[in-house]
Amino acid sequence: MSSAEPTEQTGPAVRSHPQHPQHAERPSRPAPMPGLAESARLLADSATTSTALVADALARIEAAQPTLNAFRHLRAEAALAEAAEADRRLAAGERLPLLGVPVAVKDDTDVAGLPTHFGCDGERPPVTADSEAVRRLRAAGAVIVGKTNSCELGQWPFTEGPAFGATRNPWNTAHTPGGSSGGSAAAVAAGLVPAALGSDGAGSVRIPAAWTHLVGIKPQRGRVSVHPHHDAFQGLTVNGPLARTVADAALLLDAAAGAHPDDFHRPPAVRASDAARRDPGRLRIALAWRPPLTLTGAGPDPEVRRAVAALAETLARLGHHVEEARPRYGLIGLTFVPRATAGIAEFAARHPEPALLDPRTRSALRTGTRLGGRVVRAARAREVRQHRRIGALFDASGYDVLLTPTTAAPPPRIGTFDRLSAWRTDVTMAAACPYAWPWNVLGWPGINVPAGFTRSGLPVGAQLLGPSRSEERLIALAAQLEDDLRWYEHRPPIS
């Protein structure tokens, strides 16, 4: 191949450019919410008001909540007051990248005045300060309308739990939108908000983006601050945007990006929105089907493989050189497990009522406690060698981008992971999602792009992965694909 629990007031065959005739004509549907960049433009041109956009978002959220259950908390009164203030500032001539635009953030992210449950049951007091990412979104003018559901401590590729029930996929509500940023993905895919912030510690932005037909960016470690945490989940977790278009995801990334003075990781700034308007040039792209060793024997489902192969053909048609290759992953999982479980243990140990935690979380807490200290330090020390070994794909072999499936399987049905033991949950999860997590170990950027649909209409995705600090190249390539495939034209039944 070449060339919420109630909200709180405080398709056809897989192809690279799928059609959905069964959903193409829906005259009773409300007009779609404008995207992030379009909302900002309409506000700057005085073609709408922030009050109108925020009120519309809140109404959509309330209407969809019984079906999708995307939100843990709403800020209805506060958001409308902030929208009115944004309208005054706009009328006075002030302009900011997101002034008056409604967005949502995942409920692992501190928003002053709301608790941060991170998918857990039990009571938590409201936090007193915004996280750095939220502070930057507010500084760009965004109005935070609420916090979206996450599975417990972000551990799993589904968004279900006793604390809030099940968050459902707007393409088919019998299926999960993925996790752990499933609430953010469901909210954006259904058009409840133009874009949302998620977090990605093992694919938790990219997996739900794949399963809801969105663009999801996992940025370079440190690109978007995780403060008040300094090195979340032993350096595995980063914050990143979910949106329907590359331009919207890039705009949210630009707004949220930047370090807190206490942050450990400080990559040089990028201009994501500029990259979304740039031709990527002719690139050498490695297509990898074989995932890293997970001991599950997992490979891509035939429909996933067909979709990603079609997207690879599109890249070749656009002039890129695409060929199959095998990254040298080695035994990278042996360093992922101590870091991931130690991170879970650190968060779980802060829960005020440990008995309320899922038994699988308590199992991970015990494992992480055993593997903490010297073992996790040794795991982190191996990262430099992993950079060299896997980075040889780019440095020695001369590839610019690695293309893989984002997941090995389409989105599972709601309840698939219910009543599984910790071990069976991990095995089932690793078989469905073996591709995303190595890039969290490396700290390098990746982007999920929509790759098509299964014959039953469930979305699947592909990852564009790059070496250190390669967001701009990946964003430019994703934008070129989007211009050709126009995936944003396809909307789910619930939208």
Side-chain angles (χ1 to χ4, degrees):
M1 191 183 302
S2 63
S3 4
E5 198 165 359
T7 55
E8 175 178 311
Q9 300 294 345
T10 27
V14 176
R15 52 178 74 89
S16 60
H17 184 31
Q19 303 295 324
H20 281 270
Q22 70 269 40
H23 301 317
E25 299 283 337
R26 285 183 175 265
S28 61
R29 271 188 179 177
M33 172 168 274
L36 198 71
E38 177 67 3
S39 294
R41 186 191 67 77
L42 291 169
L43 287 166
D45 291 347
S46 301
T48 190
T49 65
S50 178
T51 298
L53 289 179
V54 169
D56 183 37
L58 292 169
R60 290 170 187 259
I61 293 165
E62 291 279 14
Q65 188 67 6
T67 303
L68 296 182
N69 188 28
F71 280 78
R72 185 74 182 261
H73 299 285
L74 278 185
R75 303 179 64 247
E77 185 176 342
L80 287 169
E82 291 165 14
E85 175 61 22
D87 285 331
R88 287 190 285 273
R89 294 164 68 186
L90 287 160
E94 185 174 354
R95 296 294 180 265
L96 291 169
L98 296 179
L99 184 54
V101 180
V103 300
V105 300
K106 182 178 176 179
D107 192 30
D108 62 345
T109 307
D110 285 354
V111 176
L114 293 178
T116 300
H117 285 100
F118 202 175
C120 296
D121 205 352
E123 296 300 317
R124 290 289 184 95
V127 301
T128 57
D130 290 332
S131 68
E132 179 66 14
V134 168
R135 187 193 71 78
R136 288 179 177 271
L137 289 175
R138 290 190 195 273
V143 176
I144 311 298
V145 295
K147 299 181 71 174
T148 58
N149 278 325
S150 163
C151 65
E152 192 168 287
L153 302 184
Q155 300 167 79
W156 306 304
F158 55 90
T159 302
E160 302 163 43
F164 58 88
T167 297
R168 296 177 179 272
N169 196 320
W171 291 92
N172 184 325
T173 56
H175 292 257
T176 181
S180 61
S181 305
S184 287
V188 176
L192 312 184
V193 289
L197 198 66
S199 62
D200 191 314
S204 287
V205 162
R206 290 162 289 157
I207 291 165
W211 285 347
T212 58
H213 196 65
L214 297 178
V215 176
I217 301 178
K218 175 217 172 297
Q220 178 77 22
R221 184 184 297 150
R223 177 75 60 215
V224 180
S225 177
V226 293
H227 190 271
H229 312 292
H230 303 308
D231 200 34
F233 285 85
Q234 293 294 325
L236 297 177
T237 295
V238 299
N239 292 322
L242 295 109
R244 294 184 67 220
T245 69
V246 176
D248 284 355
L251 178 57
L252 193 65
L253 179 58
D254 279 338
H260 184 274
D262 294 337
D263 284 349
F264 292 164
H265 309 287
R266 295 167 168 272
V270 296
R271 299 171 66 107
S273 293
D274 288 350
R277 296 187 287 268
R278 187 182 308 149
D279 189 300
R282 188 173 187 269
L283 303 176
R284 293 193 71 225
I285 299 173
L287 170 60
W289 296 111
R290 185 175 179 178
L293 180 66
T294 60
L295 302 179
T296 65
D301 177 276
E303 293 203 272
V304 172
R305 186 177 180 112
R306 192 177 308 125
V308 177
L311 190 135
E313 293 284 359
T314 299
L315 287 166
R317 176 171 53 78
L318 291 171
H320 304 290
H321 177 84
V322 183
E323 63 185 22
E324 292 190 15
R326 280 192 179 182
R328 294 176 55 223
Y329 291 114
L331 298 178
I332 192 171
L334 295 181
T335 62
F336 172 77
V337 171
R339 293 172 68 170
T341 56
I344 292 166
E346 290 163 4
F347 276 83
R350 294 194 287 265
H351 196 284
E353 299 177 84
L356 293 177
L357 293 171
D358 189 295
R360 295 169 289 188
T361 301
R362 298 199 297 271
S363 174
L365 189 159
R366 292 190 293 271
T367 301
T369 301
R370 288 196 303 270
L371 297 181
R374 184 174 63 181
V375 176
V376 79
R377 287 195 296 272
R380 297 205 64 170
R382 292 188 63 84
E383 189 178 305
V384 173
R385 278 176 283 177
Q386 291 162 341
H387 285 166
R388 286 198 299 265
R389 185 179 64 247
I390 299 173
L393 182 80
F394 306 106
D395 299 330
S397 300
Y399 293 107
D400 299 299
V401 173
L402 173 63
L403 170 67
T404 79
T406 302
T407 67
R413 295 183 72 86
I414 295 287
T416 294
F417 295 84
D418 285 357
R419 293 178 293 280
L420 295 182
S421 67
W423 171 252
R424 290 304 308 166
T425 297
D426 288 346
V427 170
T428 306
M429 177 171 64
C433 303
Y435 291 102
W437 56 268
W439 249 243
N440 296 88
V441 175
L442 300 171
W444 294 348
I447 301 179
N448 175 80
V449 294
F453 297 84
T454 66
R455 288 183 174 87
S456 60
L458 294 172
V460 295
Q463 290 187 110
L464 306 174
L465 303 170
S468 180
R469 304 173 183 178
S470 59
E471 286 103 323
E472 291 189 357
R473 175 183 294 161
L474 299 177
I475 289 168
L477 180 60
Q480 184 187 51
L481 269 171
E482 178 180 87
D483 187 59
D484 186 82
L485 300 178
R486 303 176 68 84
W487 52 61
Y488 51 83
E489 294 180 347
H490 304 288
R491 295 170 56 203
I494 298 178
S495 65

PDB file of all heavy atoms in Angstrom, residues 117-118 120 140 149 181 210 216 227-228 257 270 296 311 314 317 328 339 358 370 404 439 458 467 473 485 493 495:
ATOM      1  N   HIS A 117     -15.887  14.011  41.917  1.00  0.00           N
ATOM      2  CA  HIS A 117     -16.127  12.630  42.329  1.00  0.00           C
ATOM      3  C   HIS A 117     -15.241  11.634  41.584  1.00  0.00           C
ATOM      4  O   HIS A 117     -14.974  10.556  42.104  1.00  0.00           O
ATOM      5  CB  HIS A 117     -17.597  12.261  42.095  1.00  0.00           C
ATOM      6  CG  HIS A 117     -18.542  12.840  43.087  1.00  0.00           C
ATOM      7  ND1 HIS A 117     -19.298  13.962  42.812  1.00  0.00           N
ATOM      8  CD2 HIS A 117     -18.855  12.471  44.347  1.00  0.00           C
ATOM      9  CE1 HIS A 117     -20.041  14.242  43.871  1.00  0.00           C
ATOM     10  NE2 HIS A 117     -19.795  13.359  44.811  1.00  0.00           N
ATOM     11  N   PHE A 118     -14.843  11.959  40.353  1.00  0.00           N
ATOM     12  CA  PHE A 118     -14.051  11.068  39.504  1.00  0.00           C
ATOM     13  C   PHE A 118     -14.693   9.682  39.434  1.00  0.00           C
ATOM     14  O   PHE A 118     -14.045   8.650  39.585  1.00  0.00           O
ATOM     15  CB  PHE A 118     -12.621  10.981  40.027  1.00  0.00           C
ATOM     16  CG  PHE A 118     -11.601  10.540  38.999  1.00  0.00           C
ATOM     17  CD1 PHE A 118     -10.254  10.528  39.313  1.00  0.00           C
ATOM     18  CD2 PHE A 118     -11.972  10.135  37.723  1.00  0.00           C
ATOM     19  CE1 PHE A 118      -9.291  10.128  38.392  1.00  0.00           C
ATOM     20  CE2 PHE A 118     -11.034   9.729  36.780  1.00  0.00           C
ATOM     21  CZ  PHE A 118      -9.687   9.728  37.129  1.00  0.00           C
ATOM     22  N   CYS A 120     -16.682   8.171  41.427  1.00  0.00           N
ATOM     23  CA  CYS A 120     -16.841   7.430  42.686  1.00  0.00           C
ATOM     24  C   CYS A 120     -18.176   7.744  43.354  1.00  0.00           C
ATOM     25  O   CYS A 120     -18.729   8.833  43.197  1.00  0.00           O
ATOM     26  CB  CYS A 120     -15.701   7.750  43.648  1.00  0.00           C
ATOM     27  SG  CYS A 120     -14.073   7.214  43.062  1.00  0.00           S
ATOM     28  N   ALA A 140      -9.741  31.935  28.458  1.00  0.00           N
ATOM     29  CA  ALA A 140     -10.047  32.061  27.033  1.00  0.00           C
ATOM     30  C   ALA A 140     -11.498  32.448  26.795  1.00  0.00           C
ATOM     31  O   ALA A 140     -11.906  32.628  25.640  1.00  0.00           O
ATOM     32  CB  ALA A 140      -9.744  30.746  26.321  1.00  0.00           C
ATOM     33  N   ASN A 149     -19.647  12.468  33.133  1.00  0.00           N
ATOM     34  CA  ASN A 149     -19.398  11.219  33.845  1.00  0.00           C
ATOM     35  C   ASN A 149     -18.114  10.531  33.405  1.00  0.00           C
ATOM     36  O   ASN A 149     -17.742  10.556  32.230  1.00  0.00           O
ATOM     37  CB  ASN A 149     -20.572  10.254  33.653  1.00  0.00           C
ATOM     38  CG  ASN A 149     -21.712  10.543  34.600  1.00  0.00           C
ATOM     39  OD1 ASN A 149     -21.494  10.940  35.738  1.00  0.00           O
ATOM     40  ND2 ASN A 149     -22.940  10.352  34.133  1.00  0.00           N
ATOM     41  N   SER A 181     -13.446   8.742  29.509  1.00  0.00           N
ATOM     42  CA  SER A 181     -14.056  10.046  29.184  1.00  0.00           C
ATOM     43  C   SER A 181     -15.355   9.854  28.413  1.00  0.00           C
ATOM     44  O   SER A 181     -15.654  10.600  27.470  1.00  0.00           O
ATOM     45  CB  SER A 181     -13.071  10.900  28.380  1.00  0.00           C
ATOM     46  OG  SER A 181     -11.846  11.055  29.056  1.00  0.00           O
ATOM     47  N   ALA A 210     -13.174   7.105  19.434  1.00  0.00           N
ATOM     48  CA  ALA A 210     -13.343   6.096  18.391  1.00  0.00           C
ATOM     49  C   ALA A 210     -14.754   5.533  18.396  1.00  0.00           C
ATOM     50  O   ALA A 210     -15.355   5.312  17.335  1.00  0.00           O
ATOM     51  CB  ALA A 210     -12.333   4.970  18.595  1.00  0.00           C
ATOM     52  N   GLY A 216     -10.400  12.914  18.902  1.00  0.00           N
ATOM     53  CA  GLY A 216      -9.926  12.989  20.283  1.00  0.00           C
ATOM     54  C   GLY A 216      -8.417  13.085  20.297  1.00  0.00           C
ATOM     55  O   GLY A 216      -7.733  12.239  19.714  1.00  0.00           O
ATOM     56  N   HIS A 227      -2.559  19.918  36.895  1.00  0.00           N
ATOM     57  CA  HIS A 227      -2.602  20.530  38.217  1.00  0.00           C
ATOM     58  C   HIS A 227      -4.055  20.690  38.670  1.00  0.00           C
ATOM     59  O   HIS A 227      -4.900  21.074  37.857  1.00  0.00           O
ATOM     60  CB  HIS A 227      -1.926  21.906  38.172  1.00  0.00           C
ATOM     61  CG  HIS A 227      -1.708  22.506  39.526  1.00  0.00           C
ATOM     62  ND1 HIS A 227      -2.647  23.285  40.131  1.00  0.00           N
ATOM     63  CD2 HIS A 227      -0.678  22.403  40.404  1.00  0.00           C
ATOM     64  CE1 HIS A 227      -2.202  23.667  41.315  1.00  0.00           C
ATOM     65  NE2 HIS A 227      -1.001  23.142  41.501  1.00  0.00           N
ATOM     66  N   PRO A 228      -4.409  20.316  39.906  1.00  0.00           N
ATOM     67  CA  PRO A 228      -3.564  20.261  41.100  1.00  0.00           C
ATOM     68  C   PRO A 228      -2.733  19.000  41.280  1.00  0.00           C
ATOM     69  O   PRO A 228      -2.037  18.875  42.285  1.00  0.00           O
ATOM     70  CB  PRO A 228      -4.571  20.391  42.236  1.00  0.00           C
ATOM     71  CG  PRO A 228      -5.811  19.764  41.690  1.00  0.00           C
ATOM     72  CD  PRO A 228      -5.839  20.154  40.251  1.00  0.00           C
ATOM     73  N   ALA A 257      -4.138  24.552  26.816  1.00  0.00           N
ATOM     74  CA  ALA A 257      -2.721  24.210  26.933  1.00  0.00           C
ATOM     75  C   ALA A 257      -1.965  25.211  27.788  1.00  0.00           C
ATOM     76  O   ALA A 257      -2.289  26.396  27.830  1.00  0.00           O
ATOM     77  CB  ALA A 257      -2.090  24.123  25.551  1.00  0.00           C
ATOM     78  N   VAL A 270       2.801  24.748  21.220  1.00  0.00           N
ATOM     79  CA  VAL A 270       2.449  24.483  19.819  1.00  0.00           C
ATOM     80  C   VAL A 270       1.282  25.385  19.442  1.00  0.00           C
ATOM     81  O   VAL A 270       0.596  25.938  20.299  1.00  0.00           O
ATOM     82  CB  VAL A 270       2.064  23.000  19.599  1.00  0.00           C
ATOM     83  CG1 VAL A 270       3.251  22.091  19.864  1.00  0.00           C
ATOM     84  CG2 VAL A 270       0.866  22.601  20.449  1.00  0.00           C
ATOM     85  N   THR A 296      -3.452 -11.779  25.610  1.00  0.00           N
ATOM     86  CA  THR A 296      -4.841 -12.114  25.296  1.00  0.00           C
ATOM     87  C   THR A 296      -4.978 -12.689  23.892  1.00  0.00           C
ATOM     88  O   THR A 296      -6.038 -13.212  23.545  1.00  0.00           O
ATOM     89  CB  THR A 296      -5.748 -10.871  25.392  1.00  0.00           C
ATOM     90  OG1 THR A 296      -5.351  -9.931  24.371  1.00  0.00           O
ATOM     91  CG2 THR A 296      -5.650 -10.227  26.761  1.00  0.00           C
ATOM     92  N   LEU A 311      -9.187   3.487   5.644  1.00  0.00           N
ATOM     93  CA  LEU A 311      -8.607   4.790   5.953  1.00  0.00           C
ATOM     94  C   LEU A 311      -7.151   4.862   5.485  1.00  0.00           C
ATOM     95  O   LEU A 311      -6.703   5.900   4.975  1.00  0.00           O
ATOM     96  CB  LEU A 311      -8.708   5.049   7.454  1.00  0.00           C
ATOM     97  CG  LEU A 311      -8.352   6.477   7.880  1.00  0.00           C
ATOM     98  CD1 LEU A 311      -9.357   7.009   8.882  1.00  0.00           C
ATOM     99  CD2 LEU A 311      -6.962   6.525   8.486  1.00  0.00           C
ATOM    100  N   THR A 314      -7.171   5.643   1.915  1.00  0.00           N
ATOM    101  CA  THR A 314      -7.421   7.064   1.716  1.00  0.00           C
ATOM    102  C   THR A 314      -6.136   7.867   1.874  1.00  0.00           C
ATOM    103  O   THR A 314      -5.842   8.777   1.083  1.00  0.00           O
ATOM    104  CB  THR A 314      -8.481   7.564   2.717  1.00  0.00           C
ATOM    105  OG1 THR A 314      -9.693   6.852   2.506  1.00  0.00           O
ATOM    106  CG2 THR A 314      -8.732   9.054   2.546  1.00  0.00           C
ATOM    107  N   ARG A 317      -4.149   7.440  -1.188  1.00  0.00           N
ATOM    108  CA  ARG A 317      -4.723   8.230  -2.286  1.00  0.00           C
ATOM    109  C   ARG A 317      -4.399   9.709  -2.153  1.00  0.00           C
ATOM    110  O   ARG A 317      -4.258  10.429  -3.161  1.00  0.00           O
ATOM    111  CB  ARG A 317      -6.243   8.004  -2.313  1.00  0.00           C
ATOM    112  CG  ARG A 317      -6.977   8.840  -3.355  1.00  0.00           C
ATOM    113  CD  ARG A 317      -8.438   8.432  -3.492  1.00  0.00           C
ATOM    114  NE  ARG A 317      -9.159   8.429  -2.227  1.00  0.00           N
ATOM    115  CZ  ARG A 317      -9.608   9.529  -1.621  1.00  0.00           C
ATOM    116  NH1 ARG A 317      -9.367  10.736  -2.140  1.00  0.00           N
ATOM    117  NH2 ARG A 317     -10.289   9.439  -0.488  1.00  0.00           N
ATOM    118  N   ARG A 328       8.611  -1.879  17.700  1.00  0.00           N
ATOM    119  CA  ARG A 328       9.258  -2.765  18.676  1.00  0.00           C
ATOM    120  C   ARG A 328       8.769  -2.381  20.083  1.00  0.00           C
ATOM    121  O   ARG A 328       9.453  -1.682  20.826  1.00  0.00           O
ATOM    122  CB  ARG A 328      10.776  -2.655  18.548  1.00  0.00           C
ATOM    123  CG  ARG A 328      11.317  -3.186  17.219  1.00  0.00           C
ATOM    124  CD  ARG A 328      12.822  -2.958  17.111  1.00  0.00           C
ATOM    125  NE  ARG A 328      13.519  -3.556  18.267  1.00  0.00           N
ATOM    126  CZ  ARG A 328      14.495  -2.958  18.927  1.00  0.00           C
ATOM    127  NH1 ARG A 328      14.898  -1.731  18.570  1.00  0.00           N
ATOM    128  NH2 ARG A 328      15.086  -3.561  19.936  1.00  0.00           N
ATOM    129  N   ARG A 339       2.868   1.430  36.998  1.00  0.00           N
ATOM    130  CA  ARG A 339       2.541   2.845  36.976  1.00  0.00           C
ATOM    131  C   ARG A 339       1.039   3.061  37.092  1.00  0.00           C
ATOM    132  O   ARG A 339       0.560   3.934  37.827  1.00  0.00           O
ATOM    133  CB  ARG A 339       3.102   3.499  35.704  1.00  0.00           C
ATOM    134  CG  ARG A 339       4.618   3.528  35.680  1.00  0.00           C
ATOM    135  CD  ARG A 339       5.188   3.996  34.362  1.00  0.00           C
ATOM    136  NE  ARG A 339       4.914   5.412  34.098  1.00  0.00           N
ATOM    137  CZ  ARG A 339       5.469   6.095  33.105  1.00  0.00           C
ATOM    138  NH1 ARG A 339       6.328   5.496  32.280  1.00  0.00           N
ATOM    139  NH2 ARG A 339       5.186   7.370  32.929  1.00  0.00           N
ATOM    140  N   ASP A 358     -15.506   0.297  44.153  1.00  0.00           N
ATOM    141  CA  ASP A 358     -15.726  -0.970  43.456  1.00  0.00           C
ATOM    142  C   ASP A 358     -14.692  -1.999  43.947  1.00  0.00           C
ATOM    143  O   ASP A 358     -13.523  -1.655  44.156  1.00  0.00           O
ATOM    144  CB  ASP A 358     -15.559  -0.723  41.952  1.00  0.00           C
ATOM    145  CG  ASP A 358     -15.977  -1.906  41.098  1.00  0.00           C
ATOM    146  OD1 ASP A 358     -15.319  -2.957  41.191  1.00  0.00           O
ATOM    147  OD2 ASP A 358     -16.929  -1.757  40.313  1.00  0.00           O
ATOM    148  N   ARG A 370       1.519  -2.676  46.503  1.00  0.00           N
ATOM    149  CA  ARG A 370       2.640  -3.627  46.458  1.00  0.00           C
ATOM    150  C   ARG A 370       3.690  -3.221  45.429  1.00  0.00           C
ATOM    151  O   ARG A 370       4.889  -3.430  45.634  1.00  0.00           O
ATOM    152  CB  ARG A 370       2.128  -5.031  46.118  1.00  0.00           C
ATOM    153  CG  ARG A 370       1.353  -5.705  47.226  1.00  0.00           C
ATOM    154  CD  ARG A 370       1.223  -7.199  46.969  1.00  0.00           C
ATOM    155  NE  ARG A 370       0.583  -7.480  45.686  1.00  0.00           N
ATOM    156  CZ  ARG A 370      -0.729  -7.632  45.517  1.00  0.00           C
ATOM    157  NH1 ARG A 370      -1.547  -7.501  46.561  1.00  0.00           N
ATOM    158  NH2 ARG A 370      -1.227  -7.902  44.331  1.00  0.00           N
ATOM    159  N   THR A 404      -2.607   2.927  13.613  1.00  0.00           N
ATOM    160  CA  THR A 404      -3.121   1.671  14.144  1.00  0.00           C
ATOM    161  C   THR A 404      -4.625   1.805  14.353  1.00  0.00           C
ATOM    162  O   THR A 404      -5.158   2.919  14.385  1.00  0.00           O
ATOM    163  CB  THR A 404      -2.482   1.298  15.508  1.00  0.00           C
ATOM    164  OG1 THR A 404      -3.104   2.047  16.556  1.00  0.00           O
ATOM    165  CG2 THR A 404      -0.980   1.528  15.527  1.00  0.00           C
ATOM    166  N   TRP A 439       1.304   4.624  24.218  1.00  0.00           N
ATOM    167  CA  TRP A 439       1.657   6.040  24.025  1.00  0.00           C
ATOM    168  C   TRP A 439       1.516   6.840  25.324  1.00  0.00           C
ATOM    169  O   TRP A 439       2.105   7.894  25.467  1.00  0.00           O
ATOM    170  CB  TRP A 439       0.839   6.633  22.875  1.00  0.00           C
ATOM    171  CG  TRP A 439       1.718   6.941  21.690  1.00  0.00           C
ATOM    172  CD1 TRP A 439       1.954   8.181  21.156  1.00  0.00           C
ATOM    173  CD2 TRP A 439       2.490   6.026  20.910  1.00  0.00           C
ATOM    174  NE1 TRP A 439       2.829   8.084  20.106  1.00  0.00           N
ATOM    175  CE2 TRP A 439       3.181   6.773  19.927  1.00  0.00           C
ATOM    176  CE3 TRP A 439       2.696   4.661  20.940  1.00  0.00           C
ATOM    177  CZ2 TRP A 439       4.036   6.191  18.987  1.00  0.00           C
ATOM    178  CZ3 TRP A 439       3.539   4.071  20.012  1.00  0.00           C
ATOM    179  CH2 TRP A 439       4.199   4.832  19.056  1.00  0.00           C
ATOM    180  N   LEU A 458     -22.182   0.934  14.330  1.00  0.00           N
ATOM    181  CA  LEU A 458     -21.376   1.343  15.475  1.00  0.00           C
ATOM    182  C   LEU A 458     -20.067   1.966  15.001  1.00  0.00           C
ATOM    183  O   LEU A 458     -19.380   1.401  14.142  1.00  0.00           O
ATOM    184  CB  LEU A 458     -21.080   0.134  16.368  1.00  0.00           C
ATOM    185  CG  LEU A 458     -22.296  -0.486  17.060  1.00  0.00           C
ATOM    186  CD1 LEU A 458     -21.891  -1.792  17.738  1.00  0.00           C
ATOM    187  CD2 LEU A 458     -22.901   0.489  18.070  1.00  0.00           C
ATOM    188  N   PRO A 467       6.018  10.713  17.282  1.00  0.00           N
ATOM    189  CA  PRO A 467       7.066  10.807  18.294  1.00  0.00           C
ATOM    190  C   PRO A 467       6.853  12.027  19.185  1.00  0.00           C
ATOM    191  O   PRO A 467       5.842  12.736  19.062  1.00  0.00           O
ATOM    192  CB  PRO A 467       8.343  10.929  17.462  1.00  0.00           C
ATOM    193  CG  PRO A 467       7.897  11.599  16.203  1.00  0.00           C
ATOM    194  CD  PRO A 467       6.503  11.097  15.951  1.00  0.00           C
ATOM    195  N   ARG A 473       2.085  18.005  13.398  1.00  0.00           N
ATOM    196  CA  ARG A 473       2.053  17.133  12.215  1.00  0.00           C
ATOM    197  C   ARG A 473       0.809  16.248  12.245  1.00  0.00           C
ATOM    198  O   ARG A 473       0.136  16.080  11.217  1.00  0.00           O
ATOM    199  CB  ARG A 473       3.311  16.269  12.176  1.00  0.00           C
ATOM    200  CG  ARG A 473       3.301  15.238  11.039  1.00  0.00           C
ATOM    201  CD  ARG A 473       4.539  14.369  11.103  1.00  0.00           C
ATOM    202  NE  ARG A 473       5.725  15.151  10.845  1.00  0.00           N
ATOM    203  CZ  ARG A 473       6.953  14.772  11.171  1.00  0.00           C
ATOM    204  NH1 ARG A 473       7.136  13.632  11.817  1.00  0.00           N
ATOM    205  NH2 ARG A 473       7.989  15.525  10.880  1.00  0.00           N
ATOM    206  N   LEU A 485     -12.809  13.164   3.915  1.00  0.00           N
ATOM    207  CA  LEU A 485     -13.850  12.235   4.336  1.00  0.00           C
ATOM    208  C   LEU A 485     -15.095  12.907   4.901  1.00  0.00           C
ATOM    209  O   LEU A 485     -16.161  12.307   4.926  1.00  0.00           O
ATOM    210  CB  LEU A 485     -13.291  11.261   5.384  1.00  0.00           C
ATOM    211  CG  LEU A 485     -12.108  10.406   4.927  1.00  0.00           C
ATOM    212  CD1 LEU A 485     -11.620   9.521   6.062  1.00  0.00           C
ATOM    213  CD2 LEU A 485     -12.504   9.562   3.721  1.00  0.00           C
ATOM    214  N   PRO A 493     -28.332   9.006  15.854  1.00  0.00           N
ATOM    215  CA  PRO A 493     -29.792   9.147  16.002  1.00  0.00           C
ATOM    216  C   PRO A 493     -30.189  10.070  17.138  1.00  0.00           C
ATOM    217  O   PRO A 493     -31.179  10.795  17.044  1.00  0.00           O
ATOM    218  CB  PRO A 493     -30.249   7.695  16.280  1.00  0.00           C
ATOM    219  CG  PRO A 493     -29.186   6.841  15.695  1.00  0.00           C
ATOM    220  CD  PRO A 493     -27.898   7.602  15.873  1.00  0.00           C
ATOM    221  N   SER A 495     -29.341  13.201  18.677  1.00  0.00           N
ATOM    222  CA  SER A 495     -28.572  14.459  18.531  1.00  0.00           C
ATOM    223  C   SER A 495     -29.518  15.587  18.160  1.00  0.00           C
ATOM    224  O   SER A 495     -30.693  15.346  17.900  1.00  0.00           O
ATOM    225  CB  SER A 495     -27.493  14.321  17.453  1.00  0.00           C
ATOM    226  OG  SER A 495     -28.051  14.128  16.177  1.00  0.00           O
TER     227      SER A 495
END
